[in-house]
Amino acid sequence: MRFEISKVLDAIEGRVCTDPSLARAVVDLAEVIRWQDLDGGRPASLLRLGMVIDALSRQLEEDSVPVYAIVHRALLSDADLTSNERMVVRRWADDGLVEVLDQPGDRMLEVADLLGLPVLSRVRFDGLGGRWPWLGQAGRVLAPVPGAGGPVFIAHVGGGQTPASGSRSPAGAKLLARQWRCPEPGCALFGGGGGGGAFADLARVDRAPAGQPPPTLRNGVPSCPRHGARLGDAGPRPRTAVLAVRIGGLVRRRFVLTETQPVLVGRAPDATGGVVLGQWLNDEARRWISRNHVRFELRVGEVIVTDTSTNGSGVRPGGSMAEPDRIPLAPQQSRVLGDGDLVELYPGVQIGRADEVISDAKFSPTSVMAEAPTMAMRLPRP
Ligand SMILES: [Zn+2]
């Protein structure tokens, strides 16, 4: 039993990140773990985060949606959590997968404002609509409450049922155009090296060097939300492109491409940071798709795909599913991705720019909870 729970916690770990390009909603972990009515269990449980992430996944009709979690430092020693749960949260903190703060204050709302993300919270935020006008918009603040088959979202503020993203605020756009450096040694959020620890572990959401969280603004000065220190400007943030993998009509995951970091996609890529498709493929697709099937690169803002497979792939120009339109991509051949183009590794397995790839089949999400055994099974590589 203990072993199973730690597998589930590992699966949840792959769904927390502070990467502005990947996070899809903001949560306050201290609040989420105490929603006892979700399962009627212990006073505090980290598994409730998994339930909320699953609910978000159902609502967005997309697998693998990560959340941006704000964590009060007291949680690292909260006696209502199991020692295993406390250890897991500490690991997330050390790896910069979550933001740990002494005084979270309204950092959750600041992050939501800077990144344009919805907030999942039961708090009503009375009197804060003047400072954060988007609080009144439909879908920007939703409260996860018990429902049939898991949490559902209702509006305490604003209205709506489906989480809605806005655009980054002007301050957010400015902050996210630069890279920042914290003077505190070993800062997990704004340190040097861009999260090597996370790169070393394929089970986690990949943290690109461009995946730094947004600084906090203290009297208008970009500061480290963890250490309070003024951040140094470390130059322009690398350009990024966010791509999405659609399998069987459903978006299964997104990944970030930067100009310094090509990404391999395939059945089970060799390189760290590669996008593993194996767990979503049937036997035929597994036989066809190579371990390293295609490589994506970002060069001067253009997405370039190179086939690295045995069997080849194809490009669907403008997303056209008409067979005569399909352009074959032979092994070792490269191509610049045009607007709306989809790379097809196998019928029904497509990759394109995230804002151009939508789920178009009835959604049957791979639960974060149910995924745990799969993750263990795919460790030995064929
Ligand atoms: Zn810091």
Side-chain angles (χ1 to χ4, degrees), residues 182 187 224 227:
C182 179
C187 178
C224 177
H227 301 109

Side-chain angles (χ1 to χ4, degrees), residues 244-252 321 342 348-350 357-358 360:
V245 183
R246 183 169 66 189
I247 299 176
L250 298 173
V251 175
R252 299 298 182 171
M321 288 300 141
L342 293 176
V349 180
Q350 294 129 358
V357 179
I358 48 159
D360 62 1

Side-chain angles (χ1 to χ4, degrees), residues 3 15 26 39-40 66 69 81 95 103 118 132 147 206 208 256-257 260 297 308 313 328 339 367 375 378-379:
F3 176 75
R15 305 287 176 270
V26 193
D39 54 18
L81 291 175
D95 289 348
Q103 294 294 334
W132 314 108
D206 312 316
V256 178
L257 204 56
T260 52
E297 285 163 275
T308 57
S313 35
D339 285 346
S367 161
M375 295 179 66
R378 71 170 193 253
L379 283 177

Side-chain angles (χ1 to χ4, degrees), residues 127-152:
L128 292 175
R131 181 156 178 220
W132 314 108
W134 48 264
L135 276 175
Q137 290 168 13
R140 290 302 298 276
V141 182
L142 291 170
V145 296
V152 293

Side-chain angles (χ1 to χ4, degrees), residues 14 20 61 97 114 118 267 311 316 319:
E61 302 192 334
L97 298 178
L114 296 173
R267 196 178 72 237
N311 293 319
R316 300 258 178 204

Side-chain angles (χ1 to χ4, degrees), residues 182-184 187-190 224-229 231:
C182 179
E184 198 70 30
C187 178
L189 299 173
F190 298 96
C224 177
R226 173 68 192 266
H227 301 109
L231 295 172

